[in-house]
Amino acid sequence: MRPLSSLTAALVCALLLAPSLASAQEGSEDRRGPVPETEYEKWERIGQVALSPDGRRLAVTITRVGMDPELRIRLVDAPDSVIVVPNGGGAEFTDDNRHLLYQIGVGEDEGEAMRERGETVRTALGILDLTTDETTVVPAVASWSVSDDGRWVVMRQYAPEGEREARGVDIVVHDLHTGTRVPFGGVAEHAWQDDAPRLALLIDAQGKTGNGVILWDAPTGRIVPVHTGAARFSRLSWRPDSDDLGFYEEVDPSIESEEAWADTTWVVHVVRDAVSSSATHARLDSRTEGFPDGYGVAGWRDLTWSEHDPYLAIELRERLPAEVCAEGGESAIDEEDESARTESTEEDEGEPDSESECADDPDDELTVEIWHAADVDIVPTQKVRAGIDRRATELAVWHLEHDRVVKLEDDLTEEVTLVEGASHAVGTDATPWDHDRMFGPDYEDVYLVDLDTGEKRKVLERKEYFFGASTGGRYLFWFEDDHYWTWNVASGETVKITDGLDGVFVDLDDDHTVEQKPPFRYAGWLEDDAAVLLYDRHDLWRVAPDGSGGERVTRGAERNLRHRWTRIDPDRDFVSGPEPIDPDAEQWFALYDDWRETWGYGRAAGLGDEVEVLLLEEARITGLDRAKDADRWIWRVEDFEDSPDVFVGDRDLNGRQITRTNPFQDDYAWGTSELVEYVNAWGDTLQGALYYPAGYEPGRRYPMITYIYEIRSNTVRSYQVPSEEDYYDFQDWVQDGYFVFQPDIVYRDRDPGVSAVVNIVPAVRAVIDRGLVDPEAIGLIGHSWGGYQTTFFVTQSDLFAAAVAGAPLTNMFSMYLSIYWNTGGTDARIFEISQGRLEVPFWEDEAAYRRNSPVFHIEAMTTPLLMAQGTEDGAVDFNQGVEFYNAARRAGKDFVFLVYNDENHGFRKEPNRRDYHRRINEWFAHYLKGEPAPEWITGGVPWLEQPGGRR
């Protein structure tokens, strides 16, 4: 990979005016051979990257196509001195720079053998002492957690085989400085206090004996009991930067009140100043003032602390009376029963996975489903969402100072968002617009919710792009009629804040059939809501929320260089929500030229100061970050020819490459990539990504595979490893002697198929005109939407010698009436306002649906077509492939249908992925290279000779 250096403004201008790279393909013949498929398995990908706080060491997880992963640990100043840990990963440096912790797994073959023997596959913990380079390996560690000061690590062990009654397991706290270890038994959860070596432990033992919450002070070893009881406890939570601790305690429904309940509920405990001798203890239960009748605390949701105000956000849910189950017909969520079936850890932040049905339900044998035309969400959608809906909760706040509960969410405000530091929350309600969202955009009404009283006031109606409250809570903020608007919470004034500004804040190039095209969105707010930072296509704008004006603070439009604000903050806290942006601080921007496909980063001294371009290359440059305690910076670079690697440098991004993935690539011929410009039949100037075959010989004409979807030119800088498991592997085709081309496709309303033809023909002609490819040996391929366009195209033109369509739409009429089973939604909505771009149902424009349906033009197809689909396709109904198969048989067309049983929209099983990969290659080898065709292409294979028929 080529080194990167700082670019001056003059060099940037020169770069932007540089000529096409087409001439770069003219050169001496590369005599290296392509990569044999037997070598694909060793190809590497970069996984997690960790930079030590002092910036001196780098730990990178490497995965491979067909081999076990490894962890590579380097000194940044001596990158060749690498420590390799087989099956390592999950690296974490301690904040004191003294240790590196990482997980050690087992190899894929060993793990599979263990599972076949019925053994639990267990990971180990590796501890590298960075001061001595000595390594300690602790076996059977399921997870770990390090104190903020980097000295102590909790090592969570595995539960004994077959023991599932309690959630608690043994843990060991290891002192990384002295090597001392302190064991604790029956620990279900643990939580380190912020900025203090103090550990809260939640005990969940067999028989519930000794259950409760304790504190352990690491330096002194002192143990302080917080609360005990013969009950389950859950969800330990320290208040950020505080000594306050919260947790749940389960309540037995048989003894909690005179009313009988079929489900469990929880008490919320808060211990103020938990570490002091004067700690105070508060509890929230159904007797707390304001607690709503018929509700209980949902014990599977984390507690949310207010950072500045003395309240705790909790989730409530409606209780299920015991008589409901006695009468039959409904189900209860039995958390205790669920916990006995599901191993839970402190890292386990999910909700219960299933529900226990009421006993002796008289309807258990019924299988009927009632689908009604008035259903806003059709029954398949409701079924997909059933697990979430059964666990629906409603937000409330517990005012700790006054020991009072205020419920914020209800039928009027389905979703409520808290605003840190404000006395109000923001609620939204979409139900008045349910009919609109059945086949159109999602709209919602907006309410202001008083935190002290729960009073709700509707302030906005029918908003599609509502972005919530400003950081300080003084404004509500949304996009409508191609402009941004605010509503002043104090005055109630509504202002169009971008009115009169020169910027265009809506994406006018979006070609979906919607009333309101989407905005480019925003970066954030300044302190005290002084301004909001908005994006147009290229630049960042500082705009006053009161409508008094705004200004463009970057100058990307002049150079077609997109500027996107980037937070560089190793201490950032993603939990506490968005923080205001300091306009006087140093500002960083991700840079992108969508025409030249150049990527990089720039910096300004303050908001509004000139952005200095530090990196800008014809490569994908991403992942910029800084060491926590040092002025060392890290980023990733890749290109089609260059495997992704990590660079480390100074604040001016003068750096050097530290990793070297896939060094063996130099032993083989490799392709190159460039952009191809063309003009479609509508006069739009577009681009495509063209990849040259490995070992390209100037003057020779090659076969070409054209891969399509929508916008694809932006992949021109992306690296792809060769793999037999990736059935659409561009690198594999390049290695096999093909050009690969990915043209951009743009659309006109009600003509998705016709639009594809309008774009693809001139795009391919532009490549043919270069004299690089054999015009009689060009193939077309796509999956899903690309599969649809492929299938449609071959019924309109004989430009391609062969085609492959994966999971395509073939009949727009029947597809409109089908269901997207993966989500349970209707395809009608997708057809009208999303990818289908057909705008109306077929009875309002039958001609458009027929004109764009491949199956209705089957008689014109002369291109041999290979189609593949899974029988359990949850995105494109399997019958779409069946319809085209039957039509092709009746019309006597050259067509083969690969049916992968029990596969979804993308194929999951490795043998099927490899099989489809092989058959694509055989199909194109025959039709584009003239190689002999296997029998499955020429005459099919009888069922009894196929794998399923032989079993």
Side-chain angles (χ1 to χ4, degrees):
M1 178 172 287
R2 58 184 175 276
L4 297 181
S5 59
S6 177
L7 295 179
T8 64
L11 181 56
V12 171
C13 293
L15 178 62
L16 295 174
L17 296 173
S20 167
L21 288 178
S23 60
Q25 305 303 332
E26 301 174 6
S28 60
E29 178 184 345
D30 188 345
R31 299 187 181 277
R32 294 172 297 176
V35 182
E37 287 193 349
T38 55
E39 297 294 295
Y40 284 4
E41 66 175 12
K42 68 183 182 182
W43 240 260
E44 301 169 345
R45 295 184 175 97
I46 286 183
Q48 179 201 15
V49 176
L51 183 65
S52 62
D54 61 8
R56 296 182 58 207
R57 289 177 175 84
L58 185 73
V60 179
T61 302
I62 298 294
T63 62
R64 297 185 178 92
V65 172
M67 299 172 65
D68 294 333
E70 62 186 32
L71 178 66
R72 298 175 185 170
I73 307 161
R74 288 179 167 87
L75 283 168
V76 171
D77 292 331
D80 293 335
S81 58
V82 60
I83 298 173
V84 177
V85 181
N87 299 304
E92 178 183 2
F93 288 98
T94 58
D95 276 3
D96 60 4
N97 293 294
R98 292 182 58 172
H99 293 88
L100 172 65
L101 285 70
Y102 51 87
Q103 184 183 69
I104 305 173
V106 299
E108 183 177 347
D109 293 341
E110 181 183 353
E112 183 61 31
M114 293 177 67
R115 284 186 285 268
E116 290 177 357
R117 295 193 299 267
E119 301 175 9
T120 301
V121 179
R122 301 185 175 190
T123 60
L125 172 64
I127 304 174
L128 174 63
D129 188 324
L130 300 177
T131 64
T132 65
D133 285 337
E134 295 180 357
T135 298
T136 301
V137 176
V138 185
V141 175
S143 60
W144 72 85
S145 176
V146 184
S147 60
D148 281 357
D149 62 3
R151 176 168 177 174
W152 286 274
V153 56
V154 173
M155 301 183 296
R156 184 177 180 86
Q157 300 179 331
Y158 288 87
E161 293 288 349
E163 187 176 305
R164 301 299 298 275
E165 179 184 341
R167 297 187 302 145
V169 299
D170 292 341
I171 69 168
V172 176
V173 184
H174 178 73
D175 187 334
L176 294 171
H177 292 185
T178 67
T180 303
R181 294 183 179 180
V182 179
F184 294 91
V187 177
E189 301 177 24
H190 70 265
W192 286 107
Q193 186 178 358
D194 288 348
D195 301 323
R198 190 171 293 112
L199 191 64
L201 299 170
L202 190 153
I203 308 300
D204 194 327
Q206 299 289 333
K208 301 182 181 178
T209 302
N211 278 11
V213 176
I214 63 174
L215 297 180
W216 177 70
D217 187 73
T220 65
R222 179 170 173 260
I223 294 177
V224 178
V226 174
H227 187 75
T228 60
R232 283 182 60 216
F233 295 84
S234 181
R235 301 293 176 183
L236 283 173
S237 175
W238 287 99
R239 185 173 184 173
D241 303 317
S242 166
D243 291 338
D244 297 347
L245 179 67
F247 53 90
Y248 293 125
E249 179 182 4
E250 185 185 41
V251 178
D252 186 337
S254 64
I255 63 173
E256 62 174 302
S257 67
E258 295 180 359
E259 187 171 1
W261 301 104
D263 57 352
T264 59
T265 188
W266 302 75
V267 169
V268 182
H269 293 271
V270 167
V271 184
R272 307 293 293 273
D273 298 320
V275 302
S276 75
S277 58
S278 58
T280 59
H281 195 131
R283 56 178 283 153
L284 178 148
D285 58 26
S286 58
R287 294 168 294 184
T288 303
E289 180 187 351
F291 200 97
D293 293 338
Y295 279 80
V297 175
W300 59 79
R301 296 290 177 89
D302 286 336
L303 298 169
T304 304
W305 295 91
S306 169
E307 186 175 347
H308 301 102
D309 301 303
Y311 70 74
L312 188 69
I314 56 173
E315 298 285 348
L316 306 179
R317 65 179 178 87
E318 289 192 73
R319 304 296 305 277
L320 187 65
E323 61 265 22
V324 173
C325 273
E327 295 168 0
E330 290 199 35
S331 62
I333 302 174
D334 188 338
E335 290 114 339
E336 181 170 16
D337 179 63
E338 185 59 35
S339 69
R341 295 192 302 268
T342 305
E343 182 172 328
S344 178
T345 68
E346 75 280 4
E347 289 82 14
D348 214 357
E349 297 183 359
E351 301 169 2
D353 295 324
S354 61
E355 300 75 40
S356 59
E357 296 295 327
C358 298
D360 302 320
D361 190 332
D363 290 339
D364 276 349
E365 301 301 317
L366 279 176
T367 60
V368 65
E369 296 177 359
I370 302 170
W371 296 22
H372 197 287
D375 292 334
V376 174
D377 292 313
I378 62 175
V379 171
T381 302
Q382 297 176 47
K383 290 168 70 176
V384 169
R385 290 184 48 85
I388 296 174
D389 291 341
R390 285 191 185 101
R391 299 172 184 85
T393 59
E394 298 178 21
L395 182 68
V397 291
W398 178 20
H399 292 278
L400 299 172
E401 298 294 335
H402 305 288
D403 193 24
R404 186 167 52 85
V405 173
V406 177
K407 188 164 168 289
L408 304 181
E409 287 180 350
D410 53 24
D411 292 339
L412 189 62
T413 49
E414 298 175 309
E415 298 288 339
V416 170
T417 303
L418 298 170
V419 183
E420 185 62 50
S423 61
H424 59 267
V426 178
T428 58
D429 178 29
T431 52
W433 313 105
D434 280 346
H435 187 271
D436 294 70
R437 73 175 173 83
M438 289 171 67
F439 304 100
D442 290 332
Y443 297 110
E444 57 192 0
D445 293 341
V446 181
Y447 290 76
L448 213 61
V449 185
D450 190 297
L451 292 185
D452 190 52
T453 65
E455 179 184 352
K456 302 169 179 64
R457 178 164 59 105
K458 184 164 67 172
V459 295
L460 301 174
E461 283 191 346
R462 200 176 181 270
K463 302 308 177 192
E464 180 181 3
Y465 291 103
F466 175 65
F467 299 121
S470 57
T471 305
R474 296 169 57 191
Y475 298 92
L476 302 186
F477 177 50
W478 73 97
F479 187 83
E480 187 175 28
D481 297 332
D482 293 351
H483 282 278
Y484 284 99
W485 303 69
T486 60
W487 182 81
N488 189 303
V489 172
S491 68
E493 183 183 10
T494 298
V495 177
K496 186 194 301 185
I497 63 173
T498 50
D499 192 28
L501 300 183
D502 292 336
V504 177
F505 302 96
V506 61
D507 186 0
L508 297 175
D509 290 335
D510 186 284
D511 54 18
H512 293 91
T513 54
V514 291
E515 292 181 13
Q516 176 58 71
K517 293 182 182 294
F520 290 108
R521 299 192 178 256
Y522 67 107
W525 289 77
L526 302 189
E527 191 78 41
D528 296 326
D529 296 342
V532 60
L533 302 182
L534 306 176
Y535 292 127
D536 66 11
R537 174 169 295 281
H538 295 101
D539 288 304
L540 183 71
W541 289 69
R542 175 167 45 195
V543 178
D546 61 2
S548 59
E551 62 176 338
R552 186 163 61 112
V553 297
T554 62
R555 292 292 179 267
E558 288 80 352
R559 296 178 291 178
N560 192 47
L561 199 58
R562 186 184 71 186
H563 287 58
R564 294 298 181 254
W565 184 87
T566 300
R567 183 183 293 278
I568 303 295
D569 182 7
D571 296 317
R572 61 194 177 278
D573 179 7
F574 292 110
V575 177
S576 61
E579 297 180 357
I581 296 171
D582 181 359
D584 298 323
E586 191 173 72
Q587 311 292 324
W588 287 83
F589 296 90
L591 307 177
Y592 172 57
D593 183 328
D594 64 358
W595 191 252
R596 291 181 53 82
E597 290 298 328
T598 54
W599 300 64
Y601 287 97
R603 181 187 61 211
L607 195 65
D609 291 325
E610 182 179 356
V611 177
E612 178 185 4
V613 177
L614 302 176
L615 284 179
L616 190 64
E617 293 281 337
E618 291 181 341
R620 289 181 66 91
I621 303 175
T622 58
L624 183 66
D625 206 351
R626 182 174 67 84
K628 183 177 181 180
D629 300 324
D631 198 19
R632 258 196 171 151
W633 298 72
I634 185 173
W635 61 92
R636 298 191 196 191
V637 182
E638 69 175 284
D639 198 357
F640 181 74
E641 300 95 41
D642 288 331
S643 180
D645 274 303
V646 178
F647 283 65
V648 177
D650 59 21
R651 64 183 306 274
D652 292 326
L653 305 191
N654 294 309
R656 65 178 184 277
Q657 180 179 329
I658 301 300
T659 64
R660 176 96 165 97
T661 56
N662 303 311
F664 38 78
Q665 177 181 317
D666 294 340
D667 299 334
Y668 306 102
W670 206 258
T672 57
S673 68
E674 68 180 31
L675 293 166
V676 174
E677 187 175 311
Y678 57 94
V679 179
N680 69 14
W682 299 324
D684 301 318
T685 302
L686 301 171
Q687 290 180 308
L690 181 66
Y691 308 91
Y692 281 66
Y696 169 70
E697 301 173 15
R700 175 183 165 189
R701 291 195 173 190
Y702 288 80
M704 183 173 79
I705 296 173
T706 304
Y707 182 90
I708 58 172
Y709 195 75
E710 291 189 356
I711 300 298
R712 297 295 300 173
S713 63
N714 54 14
T715 66
V716 71
R717 310 297 179 206
S718 299
Y719 186 86
Q720 188 175 29
V721 302
S723 171
E724 292 182 279
E725 295 182 25
D726 182 356
Y727 33 84
Y728 306 126
D729 192 297
F730 313 145
Q731 197 60 257
D732 177 69
W733 298 334
V734 166
Q735 292 294 320
D736 207 16
Y738 293 97
F739 271 92
V740 177
F741 184 45
Q742 296 192 86
D744 288 343
I745 298 173
V746 295
Y747 300 87
R748 296 286 174 88
D749 293 352
R750 304 195 192 186
D751 264 330
V754 172
S755 297
V757 177
V758 164
N759 288 272
I760 293 170
V761 170
V764 173
R765 293 291 181 196
V767 179
I768 292 174
D769 290 345
R770 291 185 171 208
L772 303 171
V773 302
D774 180 353
E776 304 300 320
I778 301 176
L780 180 65
I781 187 170
H783 189 88
S784 190
W785 188 247
Y788 156 67
Q789 294 173 116
T790 296
T791 307
F792 181 81
F793 189 98
V794 297
T795 68
Q796 306 294 309
S797 169
D798 61 358
L799 177 64
F800 297 100
V804 178
L809 297 71
T810 66
N811 183 340
M812 306 303 260
F813 290 90
S814 58
M815 188 66 190
Y816 177 88
L817 298 174
S818 63
I819 290 173
Y820 199 102
W821 295 103
N822 286 340
T823 63
T826 65
D827 284 313
R829 192 172 188 273
I830 297 173
F831 265 47
E832 291 187 31
I833 68 168
S834 184
Q835 195 166 43
R837 299 173 172 88
L838 282 161
E839 195 171 20
V840 295
F842 62 77
W843 53 84
E844 293 187 23
D845 194 344
E846 291 186 28
Y849 277 75
R850 183 181 183 88
R851 184 170 64 247
N852 290 278
S853 293
V855 73
F856 288 108
H857 309 291
I858 187 72
E859 75 286 351
M861 187 176 80
T862 60
T863 304
L865 178 63
L866 173 66
M867 186 176 290
Q869 195 167 12
T871 59
E872 301 303 314
D873 193 327
V876 175
D877 195 280
F878 175 60
N879 206 51
Q880 290 290 298
V882 173
E883 287 187 37
F884 201 85
Y885 166 73
N886 284 323
R889 286 185 70 249
R890 183 64 181 86
K893 299 302 179 180
D894 191 349
F895 177 82
V896 177
F897 190 26
L898 302 177
V899 176
Y900 290 93
N901 286 294
D902 303 320
E903 291 283 15
N904 204 305
H905 195 53
F907 305 152
R908 179 183 58 83
K909 301 174 184 176
E910 181 182 334
N912 289 340
R913 296 200 304 268
R914 289 180 176 270
D915 181 81
Y916 187 30
H917 169 100
R918 174 178 61 84
R919 294 185 192 276
I920 291 172
N921 287 357
E922 290 176 350
W923 185 263
F924 283 138
H926 172 61
Y927 286 107
L928 304 188
K929 292 184 174 181
E931 295 181 8
E935 185 177 354
W936 69 268
I937 291 179
T938 57
V941 181
W943 168 246
L944 292 180
E945 297 178 19
Q946 296 188 32
R950 293 195 295 266
R951 288 193 286 269

